[in-house]
Amino acid sequence: MIIEAIKPGPKPKKDDGSLDKRRRVSPDKKKDYPPLKKHKHKKGD
């Protein structure tokens, strides 16, 4: 069994060539989203 990581692809672009912002939170809406939980790194990571 081979395990392969999911590789991030290029950021989506609209037809006019500008970045597609649908997957991003705009700064004025960021306050509506809770911050990410803190996590601990294992030694060596």
Side-chain angles (χ1 to χ4, degrees):
M1 178 166 88
I2 298 173
I3 298 173
E4 295 185 20
I6 298 172
K7 296 180 182 176
K11 291 190 166 118
K13 295 192 185 246
K14 292 195 269 185
D15 294 335
D16 63 357
S18 61
L19 285 176
D20 187 356
K21 305 228 179 213
R22 287 180 293 183
R23 297 183 189 175
R24 294 162 183 82
V25 179
S26 58
D28 54 337
K29 293 278 188 179
K30 194 160 184 139
K31 62 180 169 43
D32 298 335
Y33 292 87
L36 295 175
K37 293 179 182 177
K38 294 279 184 181
H39 62 277
K40 295 181 180 178
H41 286 274
K42 295 177 185 171
K43 192 170 185 174
D45 281 352

